[in-house]
Amino acid sequence: MRLLHTSDWHLGRSFHGVGMLDAQRAFVDQLVDAVARHAVDVVLIAGDVYDRALPGVDVVHLLDDALVRVTSAGAQVVLTSGNHDSAIRLGFASRLLERGGVHLRTRLDSLDQPLLLRAGGAAGGAADGAVVAIYGIPWLEPRLVADQLGVQTPSHFEVTRAATALIRQDIERRSASATVHSVVLAHTFASGGISSDSERDLSIGGVGAVPLDLFDGFSYTALGHLHGRQSLSPQVRYSGSPLAYSFSEASHQKGAWLIDIDAGGVTKVQEVLWDAPRTLAVLRGPLSELLESPEYSWAETAYCQVTLTDAQRPARAMDQLRARFPDTLVLSFDPEGGAAGTASTYSSRLAEAPDDLAVCCGFLEHVRGRVPDDAERAALAAALENVRLQEASL
């Protein structure tokens, strides 16, 4: 049997204001091709299928198209909800969809209700031989699910421990009549995972993370929530998001995990890589160097995040950058030597300003990071003179 571990599709998400539906459609094309090419039996989606609890109509249509195409290519789908999904909406018609090979695990009462497959790939379980049991743990908001799970102290650790305990009980019961190879999907932040900027609402300092040993004993744990594909152990992995959703993911090689299971258990885990629709470029340096150096020619067709290090903020910096790098999406300034003492310097300059023009020029320098040019000084002087004339006429 062959499983394909994916997560964090975030359908409907934009990238710094740029819509990504076309890129997400291209990912679905690659996914369907991988299912057919690798003879995948089950596609796992470990949460955050959508980017919002109320996705747009075109986004819902894209997921509908993806599920139809994946199942038509010969694979079943097991899908859990993440913190960006509405578990209730995503789980709608779950019993009906089950008949078409799409198995939604978005409710607490389905924690110990696995999809059962014979090691050879057929559904329904086996009274003799080995069975693969695929369980799904949706995103568990501690305050909302603690009572239902019998947890006294609401925390991610406690609710996840209670959920995995229910799964272990079901595995133990089924193991009395067959060898059970367990696969668990979980949308959570596990200790040891490396995060990136595009995972929103992560707790700080490890609070909210769950220890890795909660997943001990499962044949394979397919994690979602972090966007970088990574292995926490041979049996516990994040597939990461199929597309980059922040510039902190510029160095990521996006992909998924292909898991082979036979009657003896997991035999092989290998990577499947996705082609990126656009290169991401994180550029830093003085404006003149970025505009003139051939070293950066590769970034001319990329989405760019630029940090300028000029001592003074250049005029029309974004316009100049976009002349060479049309898809510059983020621009920031970090002058060489830093901006230490800027606040006190501005305060001192304001207190010592000899006239109103100096005050205005000082403010402009403070907010722009550069001194006004001659044209700007002239415009300010004319505006101040106009104010004086109006006051004199009152």
Side-chain angles (χ1 to χ4, degrees):
M1 178 184 302
R2 179 163 280 177
L3 314 178
L4 183 64
H5 168 197
T6 75
S7 72
D8 296 273
W9 291 12
H10 285 280
L11 298 181
R13 189 160 191 165
S14 61
F15 185 82
H16 294 279
V18 177
M20 298 193 72
L21 271 183
D22 286 344
Q24 291 169 337
R25 290 188 186 98
F27 155 65
V28 172
D29 291 342
Q30 293 185 68
L31 175 68
V32 173
D33 177 69
V35 167
R37 181 160 34 91
H38 296 289
V40 172
D41 297 294
V42 184
V43 172
L44 312 176
I45 312 174
D48 280 355
V49 184
Y50 291 129
D51 190 57
R52 299 184 183 280
L54 289 171
V57 173
D58 51 352
V59 179
V60 175
H61 177 73
L62 177 55
L63 178 60
D64 174 65
D65 181 65
L67 296 177
V68 169
R69 293 177 64 192
V70 167
T71 52
S72 297
Q76 300 190 63
V77 177
V78 179
L79 184 159
T80 62
S81 51
N83 54 305
H84 283 251
D85 301 309
S86 166
I88 294 175
R89 292 184 176 89
L90 188 60
F92 173 75
S94 58
R95 288 176 293 178
L96 184 61
L97 289 171
E98 192 116 1
R99 301 177 190 175
V102 177
H103 309 272
L104 304 179
R105 295 296 184 265
T106 63
R107 305 189 313 270
L108 291 183
D109 60 10
S110 63
L111 283 171
D112 57 356
Q113 298 176 13
L115 169 64
L116 296 174
L117 299 167
R118 297 184 183 90
D128 55 343
V131 64
V132 176
I134 304 176
Y135 299 85
I137 303 176
W139 173 260
L140 300 174
E141 181 58 46
R143 291 170 298 175
L144 300 180
V145 303
D147 287 345
Q148 294 168 269
L149 290 172
V151 170
Q152 299 300 316
T153 305
S155 69
H156 285 284
F157 167 69
E158 292 294 346
V159 297
T160 306
R161 180 166 66 172
T164 54
L166 289 173
I167 291 173
R168 292 183 201 282
Q169 290 172 15
D170 187 71
I171 293 171
E172 183 177 0
R173 179 177 63 82
R174 296 181 188 278
S175 297
S177 57
T179 300
V180 177
H181 302 304
S182 55
V183 175
V184 176
L185 286 71
H187 193 85
T188 190
F189 185 17
S191 298
I194 301 171
S195 63
S196 64
D197 291 347
S198 61
E199 298 102 30
R200 299 197 285 267
D201 300 323
L202 289 182
S203 298
I204 303 299
V207 178
V210 301
L212 201 59
D213 60 9
L214 281 184
F215 307 109
D216 283 353
F218 299 137
S219 302
Y220 184 85
T221 300
L223 294 178
H225 192 42
L226 301 188
H227 289 185
R229 186 168 50 89
Q230 53 198 290
S231 301
L232 304 188
S233 77
Q235 294 79 34
V236 183
R237 301 171 186 247
Y238 280 100
S239 66
S241 59
L243 300 169
Y245 291 120
S246 76
F247 279 103
S248 67
E249 299 170 45
S251 62
H252 290 188
Q253 173 63 72
K254 296 299 185 179
W257 296 111
L258 203 60
I259 306 106
D260 289 337
I261 305 177
D262 65 12
V266 175
T267 60
K268 186 178 182 181
V269 179
Q270 59 185 311
E271 65 181 15
V272 173
L273 302 180
W274 309 129
D275 292 331
R278 292 288 291 270
T279 302
L280 302 186
V282 179
L283 307 179
R284 179 184 177 88
L287 178 62
S288 59
E289 178 183 323
L290 295 177
L291 294 179
E292 298 168 9
S293 173
E295 174 186 351
Y296 304 107
S297 59
W298 64 272
E300 292 173 0
T301 58
Y303 288 141
C304 297
Q305 173 185 279
V306 179
T307 302
L308 295 181
T309 59
D310 300 79
Q312 292 194 11
R313 187 174 302 194
R316 300 186 304 104
M318 182 64 91
D319 291 340
Q320 294 188 67
L321 283 167
R322 284 181 171 167
R324 182 178 189 186
F325 310 108
D327 291 313
T328 300
L329 303 181
V330 179
L331 174 60
S332 61
F333 300 88
D334 184 19
E336 292 293 351
T342 299
S344 60
T345 301
Y346 173 63
S347 299
S348 300
R349 186 162 59 247
L350 184 64
E352 298 170 0
D355 53 35
D356 291 342
L357 180 59
V359 171
C360 293
C361 289
F363 175 75
L364 194 63
E365 179 181 353
H366 177 65
V367 298
R368 283 189 170 183
R370 65 174 179 83
V371 297
D373 58 27
D374 291 342
E376 290 166 337
R377 289 180 64 87
L380 288 171
L384 289 170
E385 181 62 23
N386 188 49
V387 171
R388 291 190 190 99
L389 293 173
Q390 290 184 8
E391 290 178 341
S393 65
L394 295 177

